[in-house]
Amino acid sequence: MKKTIILGIETSCDDTSAAVLEDGVLLSNVIASQSVHQEFGGVVPELASRAHQANIIPVINTAINRAGISKNDISAVAFTRGPGLLGSLLVGTSFAKSFALSQNIPIIEVNHLQAHVLAHFIAEKNEEFNPPKFPFLCLLVSGGNSQIILAKNYDDFEVIGQTIDDAAGEAFDKCAKVMNLPYPGGPFVDKLAKEGNADAFVFSKPNIAGFDYSFSGLKTSFLYFLRDRIKENPDFIEQNKADLCASLQKTIIDILMKKLILAAQQLKINQVAVAGGVSANSGLRTAFLEMGEKFGWQVYIPKFAFTTDNAAMVAITGHFKYLKGDFCDISLTPFARVEI
Ligand code: KG4
């Protein structure tokens, strides 16, 4: 039987990525990250689109070569339609359309958030494959999102809780910036937290109803706390950086886990996954394992390569849509904002 080979393309923010999947098994996943934003302390949209334009052809060529296939073997192209930066999304969308037209193959639009959740279904050669069973809960935490998603099937997702202001990744990054850490700050906070005392400082936690999150209060309390301490001791941050990072990280994890535990209890679900860039956080990963033990959850934590933006997750989402014949029209345009 003819194999289903999907080329996945991801250009929603500042990573240009392409992946090739054969019958749901990953053959290659190439990611070119953009260092150009570092000096600005955040992603500069125009620079991101230009870097995608420079990267997209080499990245796709490399993905096809590493997969050991020819471009003529590809059954369909899946691309991220949104949410993301419009200029960045346009590069991937335009490439996907042109490639599909030139090869006379279908194109498949992919929701970036859905792709993060379905990253748990990427199978790899010679590796155990143990995906979550439906229905499962997925905590999706990234630079732009903090959501609790109830995944009922590959194409049936319900957002049961989400942040009403900042995302968890933003809380990491903005607090890191106040401590003069490089952008994005999340990985630096994680690293420093390992050497600090998580109970050294106490920061405010939100009191929000239901399964929703809020991180803006924490950000403000962190900022004011530092402002007051610096008045007394200008070297306060430098002298307490590891403790600050550990305490901040613990607060963010406590906020995230509290609502997830509530959701799992109320919905009586014991399949619990985590996804998105912040799921690379070592403290959050440990908390997941501990809560799994404590509450009898089956926990699903993605490999590091599938936590941040990557095209393998776009390709697997495309694979499921391909099997259903869920293709899109060449006239379609990207979306900066879209729900899961
Ligand atoms: O999913 P992602 O790559 O991009 C989007 O937001 O679309 O997530 C990036 C976010 C950033 O806020 C970054 O600081 C955070 O993930 N992040 C981390 C860690 N690694 C990445 N946050 C905490 N600890 C980490 N180890």
Side-chain angles (χ1 to χ4, degrees), residues 10 12-15 83 112-113 116 140-145 168-173 183-191 249 275-283 304 307-310 313:
E10 157 64 34
S12 66
C13 190
D14 59 340
D15 292 306
H112 181 80
L113 303 176
H116 267 302
L140 175 55
V141 269
S142 68
N145 291 279
E170 257 177 298
F172 270 110
D173 296 343
Y183 176 86
F188 294 93
V189 173
D190 189 358
K191 197 162 169 237
Q249 180 169 297
V278 179
S279 68
N281 184 268
S282 58
F304 284 110
T307 57
T308 43
D309 293 346
N310 67 88
M313 67 184 195

Side-chain angles (χ1 to χ4, degrees), residues 135 137 150 158 160 211 261-270:
L137 287 177
L150 172 63
E158 188 187 339
I160 59 166
F211 305 137
I261 292 166
L262 192 70
Q265 282 173 341
Q266 287 196 8
L267 276 68
K268 297 190 173 41
I269 289 184
N270 73 346

